[in-house]
Amino acid sequence: MSSQVPNDLRYAKSHEWVRVRGDIATVGITDHAQHELTDIVFVELPHVGRRLAAGEACAVVESVKTASDIYAPVSGEVLEVNTALADNPGLVNASPFGDGWFFQVRLSAAPEVEGLLTPEAYRAQIGV
């Protein structure tokens, strides 16, 4: 099955995606990651107000297959989390780039975004 890799996002090697609007970054996990995890049954999100460093483990996702850490692809303060995932973690499987987003941060080091993978580089990493 071929994974979707939207062209308007940046990607971490650890399979998180980032959508930037102004100085706000929305973060989720990629379609490839949710396929690898299979059915997601629980998501633990960072607390609003937490300051994250790029590369820091900040969330946990559990599936019927395994549990995995989610890493902050960029540094910043958590402004909002997707509370809908508490009641319906399957949103990550159903809509990884839409309703299944994880959290938003106010970027503290915007140039970090340029260091993330382009869609082409991420496609090469996952072999699609």
Side-chain angles (χ1 to χ4, degrees):
M1 178 173 218
S2 181
S3 296
Q4 295 179 25
V5 181
N7 287 326
D8 62 334
L9 305 176
R10 288 295 189 124
Y11 301 89
K13 290 180 180 176
S14 51
H15 306 286
E16 293 84 10
W17 58 260
V18 176
R19 177 179 294 121
V20 176
R21 294 206 168 95
D23 65 344
I24 308 297
T26 303
V27 176
I29 64 169
T30 65
D31 189 37
H32 174 77
Q34 68 85 19
H35 277 296
E36 291 292 312
L37 289 165
T38 65
D39 294 333
I40 293 172
V41 296
F42 179 77
V43 178
E44 180 182 315
L45 298 170
H47 296 288
V48 172
R50 180 175 168 184
R51 294 194 175 277
L52 302 174
E56 177 182 358
C58 63
V60 176
V61 62
E62 292 182 22
S63 70
V64 295
K65 187 175 173 184
T66 189
S68 296
D69 286 332
I70 303 300
Y71 299 92
V74 291
S75 301
E77 179 182 355
V78 178
L79 299 177
E80 184 176 354
V81 298
N82 186 355
T83 57
L85 296 180
D87 293 331
N88 189 2
L91 288 172
V92 178
N93 295 115
S95 180
F97 301 110
D99 294 338
W101 62 279
F102 279 42
F103 57 90
Q104 291 185 323
V105 297
R106 182 178 311 280
L107 295 168
S108 61
E112 289 176 346
V113 175
E114 297 304 315
L116 296 172
L117 298 174
T118 63
E120 295 78 17
Y122 185 69
R123 284 185 193 101
Q125 177 181 310
I126 63 172
V128 297

